[in-house]
């Protein structure tokens, strides 16, 4: 009594990532290692996720102390934890649901309670103040902010409202190539069409507005384009967009009546000369009529800064210039999944409102975050140097984000071999890298890339010695690989 | 440049709950109280959620100690926390992603890392062992279990696979009335059709198989029924299904080729004579061919037992007899939302594997859970007694779950008044109850009920004194209301 024939064809259209083959393989290799099977390495270095803690980056002490105290308030008795930790934990607890002392003799606020659909009002308020500070005073209205179970969660719900599966023409979403793999999957799963626009690798993965025009032109008659998705700082490409480029994108969105989806989760991770500026700020600076009309959703997350609390699942979306009627539907959809994880919301509060100079936790917090930042800056420099020194390998400058996305100039023989194995050439490369050197990176073909080009993606938010080991393994492997297939 | 005309009509079809009006009103009343406005009460008693901590039930010490230690492992140094807490925390941390000591001198596992899409393998394994113990040895395969961000999350994803928005006929899902309000919303949001089957109130909200036949017959020609959704123990109705009734449901599902969706999140909350038995166990006991063919998804949650950790967002689904090809699509959809919150997963681990006799934490854990259990048993008895003693109010026995769902026999005058105000009569009742007595309950019209009948739902997972205050306010209000409208 299988229902396979009957299931949603949209869901059937969702492609399986090349990465899933590599993940299965990794599981087997780890099992082999556990059982003592001899390999050229003793442990797999998994740099396939944008997950700092997985790579060995340490959690921030302040963050973990506050979270622990909220969970187990007995920790607030005594002086074990710094006073600002205890005060912050108490303040956060007071914002949770529960009884005050008004009716009963007891007081019981617990983060085990559901929060409101859009998050705890006090945290939403503080996130809104953070946004306004970040944007040089551009106002932010808490009613336009929704905390959620990770930014991807919110993006999928908004796509759900925008993508109209029953319309005569399918809905199209302009999406960068390369692009973080989950968003195209979500668009397809909802019955929408991905319209790729290619970032210019030779110009440091720049977003060029002519390419947006080309992409839009290319889908005429095939779908109804409704939104433009941008990722800044880039994932996987690691570029940071200039203000000028963002202005062009905003004008394009306005002219073509496209809803702007700005994935800005790596805004805290910028290493190059270009500063991060939010789409909301640039839009506001452009003034009316643009600043009053272009519909924008901007996403941020507690997983993606130097805090790196991926496991807690905390993100938010801010909606700008939305028709209240559309916002109502977004809210209804958010309601259908209950409330977001409270610990993820607290992580967002701490990320957007860290200890300030003079606070007892400030010094340690500053040292820990500076250590991560300087490590990553060193990592980025080292990774690009090493890769660009290797024959058949090249890497654009990594200006922001969590990844390097170097291009591999694969020999024809390797491409041929991959074809024979029924694999994408860069998946073939990654599989060999995994088997021979114990490095799990992910293949460019999962992200979209210009026909005939090949890439790999790996996380650079790592302790410096781990990156060193990774680059050593990668260099040795690559040199041998190029020799074998030349 | 609004896109309102263009948004998905499925999303537009999602109805707004009556409750949202009450929630807005509550916000205003709380604000008034904060500002010192005089009301007949000093605090709103919010019993509209199935959220024990919100009602004042205390978190379990063992659970919070383990969670705090996982978050802030420094707490494991020294003897402050019981040894089984420290051991469990260490074991859980070792299952998270990070580096072992093999390659580098340091060891770093953090629950700040993403877990696998279906959850941390060690926890999935232990959940699977719990299921098998619960079901008297019926085997459970970890590969069929997916941990997730709350059971509702998993249910929506599975509906997403089952509901085919593009099919010539819309997909139908048989759904109980009354029914927890989120599931019908999700079905409609995906473009499916809710086919209500009515539980028999006069027979203690029994699910009668003849009613399933009637409901299925009634939708002929209008939709293509594909699944049958059951909630046991019931929400909001509080019934517990007998084995015999479940066998009938399974035979019906098999005969009509329906996918069985069993919402069993209240399995730990049973107070009457009928024991909880899982659908999986009953299906297995029925033997082949049924036990090999009926497709079943069973849901459970860390929010809904006496642990009540709603804010952590941890649930799981177990899939039985699924076509591997269908399972693949479910997995793909799960992947699109990244990994579930790690703290919610840990809560599931602790719920399914509590301290055992002899463990240092056992006694306190036992006392705390027994206290909650005996309180709720007392609450249920008291609530039914009080309500059934009031004129125009009647309540079936609450055998399980978190709610009482009494019927209000509203006077014609009250119904007329509600109509004039453009409101459902039970919403009108709830609004008066809120304004005059400071009690936030939710109206039966949000859950589905037989035409011409009216109900309210309120949570009974409360400290006994809170329930006492609630019943006092409700009685006084109800008596006055009936007088005013008689």
């Amino acid at each position: 009594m299988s229902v396979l024939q009957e299931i949603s064809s949209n869901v059937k259209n969702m492609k399986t990532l090349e990465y899933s083959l590599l993940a299965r393989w990794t599981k087997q290799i780890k099992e082999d290692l556990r059982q003592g099977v001899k390999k050229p390495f003793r442990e797999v270095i998994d740099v396939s996720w944008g997950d700092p803690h997985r790579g060995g980056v340490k959690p921030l002490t302040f963050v973990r102390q506050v979270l622990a105290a909220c969970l187990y308030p007995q920790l607030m008795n005594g002086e074990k934890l710094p006073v600002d930790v205890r005060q912050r934990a108490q303040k956060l607890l007071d914002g949770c649901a529960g009884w005050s002392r008004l009716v009963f003799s007891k007081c019981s606020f617990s983060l085990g309670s559901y929060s409101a659909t859009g998050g705890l009002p006090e945290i939403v308020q503080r996130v809104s103040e953070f946004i306004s500070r970040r944007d040089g005073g551009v106002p932010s209205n808490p009613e336009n902010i929704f905390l959620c179970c990770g930014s991807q969660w919110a993006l999928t719900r908004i796509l759900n409202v925008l993508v109209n599966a029953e319309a005569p023409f399918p809905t199209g979403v302009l999406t960068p190539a390369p692009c973080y793999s989950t968003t195209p999957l979500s668009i397809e799963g909802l019955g929408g069409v991905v319209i790729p626009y290619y970032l210019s690798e030779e110009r440091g993965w720049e977003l060029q507005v002519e390419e947006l025009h080309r992409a839009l032109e290319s889908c005429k008659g095939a779908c109804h384009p409704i939104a433009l998705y941008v990722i800044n700082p880039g994932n996987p490409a690691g570029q940071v967009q200039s203000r000028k480029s963002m202005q062009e994108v905003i004008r394009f969105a306005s002219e073509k009546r496209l809803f702007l989806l700005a994935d800005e989760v790596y805004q805290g991770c910028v290493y190059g000369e270009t500063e991060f500026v939010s789409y909301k700020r640039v839009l506001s600076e452009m003034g009316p009529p643009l600043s009053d009309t272009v519909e924008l959703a901007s996403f941020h997350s507690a997983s993606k800064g130097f805090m790196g609390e991926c496991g807690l699942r905390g993100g938010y979306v801010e909606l700008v210039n939305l028709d209240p009627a559309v916002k109502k539907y977004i809210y209804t959809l958010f309601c259908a999944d209950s409330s977001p994880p409270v610990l993820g919301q607290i992580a967002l509060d701490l990320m957007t409102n860290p200890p300030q100079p003079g606070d007892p936790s400030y010094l340690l917090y500053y040292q820990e975050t500076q250590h991560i930042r300087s490590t990553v800056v060193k990592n980025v420099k080292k990774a690009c140097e090493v890769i660009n020194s290797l024959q058949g390998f090249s890497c654009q400058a990594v200006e922001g984000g969590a990844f390097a996305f170097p291009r591999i100039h694969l020999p024809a023989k390797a491409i041929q071999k991959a074809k024979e194995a029924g694999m994408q050439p860069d998946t073939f490369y990654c599989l060999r890298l995994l088997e021979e050197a114990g490095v799990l990176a992910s293949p460019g073909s999962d992200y979209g890339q210009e026909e005939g080009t090949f890439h790999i993606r790996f996380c650079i938010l790592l302790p410096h010695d781990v990156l060193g080991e990774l680059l050593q393994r990668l260099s040795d492997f690559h040199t041998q690989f190029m020799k074998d297939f030349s």
Side-chain angles (χ1 to χ4, degrees), chain A:
Chain A
M1 61 179 278
S2 153
V3 291
L4 180 59
Q5 308 88 314
E6 296 158 343
I7 70 171
S8 166
S9 55
N10 293 336
V11 175
K12 280 187 188 166
N13 286 342
M14 291 172 82
K15 70 169 184 174
T16 310
L17 295 177
E18 298 279 310
Y19 173 71
S20 59
L21 169 72
L22 291 157
R24 273 204 307 282
W25 214 258
T26 304
K27 211 172 149 187
Q28 185 56 52
I29 290 176
K30 284 187 173 172
E31 190 48 44
D32 288 352
L33 286 170
R34 227 188 319 268
Q35 302 203 348
V37 177
K38 276 262 174 284
K39 303 259 173 199
F41 47 85
R42 288 199 299 166
E43 185 164 16
V44 175
I45 299 186
D46 179 356
V47 282
S48 63
W49 303 59
D51 181 344
H53 294 191
R54 176 177 298 251
V57 172
K58 292 256 174 287
L60 302 176
T61 304
F62 174 73
V63 172
R64 291 306 186 87
Q65 284 177 334
V66 173
L67 288 166
C70 287
L71 266 171
Y72 188 53
Q74 284 84 333
L75 294 174
M76 287 189 262
N77 305 335
E79 314 269 304
K80 284 264 166 186
L81 296 175
V83 62
D84 56 340
V85 165
R86 285 178 279 142
Q87 284 168 345
R88 180 68 79 93
Q90 191 58 58
K91 193 168 154 190
L92 286 161
L93 266 183
D94 290 347
C96 292
W99 300 112
S100 72
R101 288 181 205 277
L102 281 171
V103 177
F104 306 101
S105 57
K106 55 193 164 266
C107 178
S108 78
F109 296 102
S110 166
L111 47 70
S113 292
Y114 289 115
S115 74
T117 292
L120 293 163
E122 287 80 358
I123 298 184
V124 174
Q125 175 64 38
R126 286 195 290 273
V127 167
S128 154
E129 290 160 9
F130 152 81
I131 292 172
S132 189
R133 280 197 306 276
R134 177 199 70 187
D135 291 343
V138 176
S140 164
N141 184 344
E143 291 191 5
N144 293 328
I145 296 169
F146 296 86
L147 310 190
C148 52
C149 183
S151 61
Q152 197 61 37
W153 185 96
L155 177 59
T156 307
R157 295 306 156 292
I158 291 175
L159 286 169
N160 199 349
V161 173
L162 297 178
V163 172
N164 191 340
E166 318 89 74
F169 261 176
T171 307
V173 180
L174 282 155
T175 308
C179 173
Y180 171 55
S181 54
T182 315
T183 306
L185 271 184
S186 296
I187 295 169
E188 287 165 4
L190 291 162
V193 174
V194 173
I195 315 167
Y197 63 88
Y198 292 90
L199 304 176
S200 169
E201 180 165 10
E202 57 275 24
R203 301 182 58 109
W205 298 110
E206 196 177 77
L207 194 170
Q208 298 180 306
V209 75
E210 312 82 61
E211 170 60 11
L212 291 178
H213 283 282
R214 183 209 58 77
L216 199 65
E217 203 57 36
S218 77
C219 72
K220 262 204 176 146
C223 68
H224 173 56
I226 196 161
L228 166 57
Y229 176 62
V230 288
I231 316 176
N232 179 47
N235 175 1
Q239 84 286 10
V240 176
Q241 230 184 331
S242 70
R243 197 179 232 105
K244 181 168 160 289
S245 167
M246 293 164 80
Q247 290 165 343
E248 288 170 0
V249 167
I250 289 170
R251 270 188 224 105
F252 175 82
S254 169
E255 189 187 314
K256 306 297 181 186
R257 301 169 61 86
L258 297 169
F259 191 113
L260 201 50
L261 299 161
D263 189 333
E264 300 179 315
V265 296
Y266 286 108
Q267 58 189 265
C269 303
V270 173
Y271 325 115
E273 283 171 19
T274 317
E275 244 187 302
F276 168 81
V277 199
S278 76
Y279 263 94
K280 185 180 173 212
R281 179 174 191 163
V282 175
L283 179 59
S284 164
E285 289 169 352
M286 290 171 86
L290 288 173
S291 61
D292 300 335
T293 50
V294 173
E295 289 176 301
L296 167 69
S298 158
F299 304 89
H300 195 12
S301 164
S303 310
K304 297 306 184 187
F306 293 140
M307 178 193 281
E309 294 286 1
C310 308
L312 302 183
R313 316 304 301 120
Y316 75 78
V317 59
E318 185 186 24
L319 304 172
V320 180
N321 288 330
L322 248 71
D323 181 335
V326 176
K327 213 173 89 178
K328 193 190 96 182
Y329 292 117
I330 291 176
Y331 179 77
T332 307
L333 260 187
F334 276 27
C335 285
D337 265 353
S338 301
S339 62
V342 174
L343 278 104
Q345 298 182 46
I346 293 180
L348 278 176
D349 186 78
L350 303 174
M351 178 180 79
T352 52
N353 294 280
Q356 295 303 306
D359 293 347
S361 298
Y362 177 73
L363 190 63
L364 182 60
Y365 184 88
Y366 180 80
Q367 286 169 343
E368 287 176 344
T369 48
Q370 278 310 105
H371 175 69
I372 301 174
R373 178 182 299 275
S374 65
T375 300
V376 178
V377 170
K378 266 199 297 183
N379 284 356
V380 160
K381 199 161 163 274
K382 176 96 184 274
C384 291
E385 266 172 26
V386 169
I387 285 169
N388 286 320
S389 75
L390 293 169
Q391 185 223 338
F393 225 162
S394 63
C395 193
Q396 297 295 320
V398 177
E399 299 174 307
F403 302 102
F405 192 62
R407 179 167 174 184
I408 337 165
H409 305 266
L410 290 176
K413 235 173 151 182
I415 297 173
Q416 182 56 33
K417 197 83 185 174
K419 271 190 190 148
E420 286 166 24
M423 248 178 250
Q424 292 294 331
D426 42 20
T427 307
F428 176 74
Y429 181 93
C430 286
L431 202 58
R432 297 282 294 246
L433 175 63
L434 173 63
E435 287 180 320
E436 294 172 22
V439 170
L440 176 58
S442 48
S445 40
D446 271 346
Y447 305 100
Q449 52 196 358
E450 293 259 18
E451 182 77 25
T453 70
F454 307 107
H455 299 80
I456 64 167
R457 186 189 86 162
F458 61 87
C459 181
I460 44 88
L461 284 179
L462 298 168
H464 199 59
D465 57 347
V466 177
L467 182 91
E469 167 82 13
L470 160 73
L471 291 174
Q472 189 59 54
R473 292 190 191 186
L474 182 61
S475 303
D476 293 349
F477 164 79
H478 182 80
T479 309
Q480 189 59 44
F481 182 93
M482 296 303 275
K483 223 182 265 169
D484 291 351
F485 290 98
S486 68

